[in-house]
Amino acid sequence: MSISVDPTTQGRQTDSVESSYESDIDATIDFDETTGIATFPSGTRYSIHGLDAGTKDAVVKALSTSSKLALRGCASRGQSYVFLVSETIDYHVRTPYGTSTYDGPSCSCRQDETSAGLQHPCRHTLWLCDQILSQLVPLPRDPHTWQIDGYTTQHGNVCDFIADFHFDVLADGLRCDIMAGEPLKPRRRRVRTAREILATLSGISVDTYRPDLVGETREKRVVKEGDLEETIFRMLLENDSLLTYFLTSMRKYAPLNPKFRRFRDRADAALDAYDSYIKASDIQKTEMSRIPQWCYNTFKDISAQIKAIIIHSERELDDFDCRAAATTLVYILDQVVSRNEDHDAARDRNDGHTDLQGQPNDAGKTNLYRELVVESRNHFILDILEELPPPFVRHLLPDLTRIEQAIVNTDVPQSYLDKLKRIIAYLRRANSTSAFEPAESSRKRTNQDTDRYAKRVK
């Protein structure tokens, strides 16, 4: 990211802004030449073992460069996705998918290699593939192994999975604007995040905060004279780096913590799609027939990724992250439980389901709660929630109690209800003693039982 600074204000900006910004963001790639293991900012580790000599030298050289990278834009072009990766200067990384004629990811930093076939991985392609992969799959216990093209041996071309993930959802998770010829209307989740940031700083509920700030259009001028809040709001919609900066600076506010905010945004995207589906007409539902299964898979993927971060993260979660993880998990569970209602599924005239008059019958019902909680083999959300130390969950006791009341008279499995009751009972006991009170200033946990839970998080 290139920043131009007025020399007269450079010292003041460094003291007031950059010092805290640098301390909050860890965007470095750690490479241990002894073990051949590289740890990326997402926490995912990769091994260079298994690469041929030429590729290994190229990767080691790429990882030995000390600089920060940022993702500034993305677009779908033909049979490729194009990402704009920034490192003091901008590089265009083309990542093919499907039946594209391109052999593998290519970067404009090596334009002289385009005629020689497959490029060796550069720092930009390795970093970009990690950014995408960290959105798609859970954090692994063991390091991934790279292929000659920079993809992993286990997953191959990560861009082949973007269509199922949904490109706009990926862009939201990466905090990356979608580049287009004409200015696009700000995405709903981007607007929601910007509103939450400003409402939180103002100490006002986001539901009642500035109802006029809706981001219906992209303004030609960012500055709104006489209105500082709307000016910042427009900046947050326009500038990906500024949005990331605000989220990172506000990580102590659990709903905005950037490590887990992306999961909340992804859940909201699935909820929006699900709500649109159940309100659609029969004809529209036929066209949207894949939406319910995509929503189910999205929530299952989210829970698996959060669990992997809690259990397998190389860098121990701090208090802010633990609290944010718990808040995100309970938010998702609450939203799923609130959608415990059967709805007609898509009708397909070719599936053979017809009544006596030859009209198509419902192929079935769709119910988000039933799919994820009632019919799940796992204890959705609860299995992960109990991995977190009680001090970071107990502020959610009223929400969990309300969820218990909402599901107690449903056909929820008894084992699920029992686990929820045990968690609630344990949190109530924790609330009755000050021994579980976390020391925010020292980050030290002196209670032996709390230490046991902290080790599970580590």
Side-chain angles (χ1 to χ4, degrees), residues 57-120:
D57 290 342
V59 170
V60 171
K61 181 180 179 180
L63 296 176
S64 299
T65 304
S66 177
S67 63
K68 291 186 177 180
L69 302 171
L71 191 59
R72 294 185 52 197
C74 57
S76 179
R77 301 282 165 78
Q79 284 296 111
S80 299
Y81 296 110
V82 179
F83 295 87
L84 183 61
V85 177
S86 178
E87 181 197 31
T88 64
I89 61 175
D90 294 335
Y91 297 99
H92 290 267
V93 177
R94 183 181 294 274
T95 56
Y97 70 95
T99 58
S100 173
T101 57
Y102 292 91
D103 294 324
S106 60
C107 181
S108 57
C109 76
R110 293 183 173 174
Q111 292 180 347
D112 57 328
E113 295 185 20
T114 54
S115 60
L118 182 66
Q119 289 185 358
H120 283 164

Side-chain angles (χ1 to χ4, degrees), residues 50 54 57 67-68 90 92 146 181 183 199 202 236 247 271 274 313 321 335 394 401 412 448:
D57 290 342
S67 63
K68 291 186 177 180
D90 294 335
H92 290 267
W146 275 310
S202 302
L236 291 171
L247 289 174
L271 292 170
Y274 183 81
S313 182
D321 289 336
Q335 294 297 316
R394 62 183 181 180
T401 302
V412 61
Q448 185 177 7

Side-chain angles (χ1 to χ4, degrees), residues 14-255:
T14 300
D15 292 339
S16 62
V17 176
E18 290 188 9
S19 58
S20 61
Y21 180 71
E22 295 292 335
S23 63
D24 284 339
I25 296 181
D26 185 1
T28 58
I29 301 174
D30 299 325
F31 178 59
D32 188 334
E33 294 189 22
T34 303
T35 61
I37 301 296
T39 302
F40 278 67
S42 65
T44 307
R45 295 179 298 156
Y46 300 85
S47 170
I48 65 172
H49 301 299
L51 296 175
D52 62 81
T55 304
K56 184 179 295 185
D57 290 342
V59 170
V60 171
K61 181 180 179 180
L63 296 176
S64 299
T65 304
S66 177
S67 63
K68 291 186 177 180
L69 302 171
L71 191 59
R72 294 185 52 197
C74 57
S76 179
R77 301 282 165 78
Q79 284 296 111
S80 299
Y81 296 110
V82 179
F83 295 87
L84 183 61
V85 177
S86 178
E87 181 197 31
T88 64
I89 61 175
D90 294 335
Y91 297 99
H92 290 267
V93 177
R94 183 181 294 274
T95 56
Y97 70 95
T99 58
S100 173
T101 57
Y102 292 91
D103 294 324
S106 60
C107 181
S108 57
C109 76
R110 293 183 173 174
Q111 292 180 347
D112 57 328
E113 295 185 20
T114 54
S115 60
L118 182 66
Q119 289 185 358
H120 283 164
C122 67
R123 179 178 173 83
H124 314 113
T125 57
L126 293 173
W127 178 85
L128 175 62
C129 289
D130 169 72
Q131 289 285 294
I132 298 174
L133 188 64
S134 66
Q135 297 286 326
L136 302 180
V137 301
L139 192 68
R141 178 188 298 273
D142 300 316
H144 288 304
T145 301
W146 275 310
Q147 299 177 155
I148 187 173
D149 53 12
Y151 298 133
T152 65
T153 55
Q154 181 179 355
H155 303 96
N157 187 349
V158 295
C159 291
D160 286 338
F161 305 103
I162 292 179
D164 289 335
F165 190 89
H166 287 196
F167 187 52
D168 62 322
V169 176
L170 177 67
D172 283 329
L174 294 173
R175 305 292 172 210
C176 170
D177 200 12
I178 296 179
M179 300 179 295
E182 295 294 330
L184 297 176
K185 178 180 178 180
R187 297 192 297 281
R188 181 185 306 177
R189 292 176 292 280
R190 180 70 168 251
V191 173
R192 185 181 299 162
T193 301
R195 285 183 52 80
E196 286 189 38
I197 289 174
L198 294 175
T200 300
L201 293 175
S202 302
I204 302 174
S205 169
V206 68
D207 294 329
T208 58
Y209 175 77
R210 291 291 299 267
D212 58 307
L213 298 184
V214 293
E216 288 295 332
T217 59
R218 288 187 182 272
E219 303 292 341
K220 293 182 178 180
R221 297 181 66 252
V222 173
V223 175
K224 176 69 177 295
E225 295 181 2
D227 194 334
L228 177 61
E229 288 182 328
E230 183 165 355
T231 298
I232 298 176
F233 177 72
R234 293 178 181 180
M235 290 179 175
L236 291 171
L237 297 184
E238 290 287 338
N239 192 304
D240 300 320
S241 298
L242 183 64
L243 179 69
T244 300
Y245 177 81
F246 264 85
L247 289 174
T248 304
S249 301
M250 299 176 66
R251 54 191 298 271
K252 72 175 183 178
Y253 300 98

